[in-house]
Amino acid sequence: MKLVNRSGAIFIVLFLLGVFTQCYAEGINLNVCEQVSDEQLAAIYPKKLFPTGQERGCQWSNKPGGIPYLQIGVIESQKILRDYFHKEIPPNFELKKIKDLGDRGLMTVSEGYLAIIVFREGDWVLISTVNSLYIKQGSEKHKYLWNIYRGILQKLQ
């Protein structure tokens, strides 16, 4: 596995962690951790991942209380999707449109690997960081990840 320069991702992830404290999804009654099965996680990462619930999402790490490898949060927001990313995207990242998931979306890709995914479905915005999973854009793992997101979105409708 090729190691990718993730210094820019750390900066973006720290920003996104603040998003969940700034936005409040009124009326949301969804436990994101319960929406993702161990089998689904095994399809995108070879080792067991441990969930930790958050107020509006879930994070999965390689050990209980460890550094998150996957984070998924859901908020109700009308904010422009581009505003969820820093104005200056680090040079080793590319901001791309998502055309096959939700109403519209954006993601960052670094050296072919997915990093930050933000997309809207109606009034709901799903925000996810996956840079520690090393998922190549267009790979089978990428398709499995999109299916995880679609399952969460179905529960919100």
Side-chain angles (χ1 to χ4, degrees), residues 10-96:
I10 292 169
F11 186 66
I12 293 171
V13 170
L14 290 175
F15 170 76
L16 284 173
L17 290 176
V19 167
F20 297 118
T21 61
Q22 295 170 7
C23 301
Y24 181 70
E26 292 185 29
I28 189 171
N29 188 16
L30 178 72
N31 182 328
V32 175
C33 294
E34 291 178 357
Q35 305 308 310
V36 182
S37 70
D38 288 340
E39 292 80 19
Q40 289 173 307
L41 291 170
I44 61 172
Y45 192 72
K47 298 179 182 175
K48 179 163 177 56
L49 293 173
F50 299 88
T52 301
Q54 299 172 312
E55 186 174 347
R56 288 169 283 284
C58 189
Q59 63 184 26
W60 289 265
S61 55
N62 61 342
K63 60 184 177 183
I67 295 172
Y69 278 47
L70 168 65
Q71 292 178 291
I72 300 174
V74 179
I75 58 175
E76 192 171 19
S77 174
Q78 295 301 315
K79 191 174 178 178
I80 296 169
L81 295 180
R82 178 62 175 93
D83 290 346
Y84 288 100
F85 298 87
H86 284 285
K87 292 191 187 305
E88 298 293 325
I89 301 293
N92 57 328
F93 285 82
E94 184 180 354
L95 188 63
K96 295 186 172 191

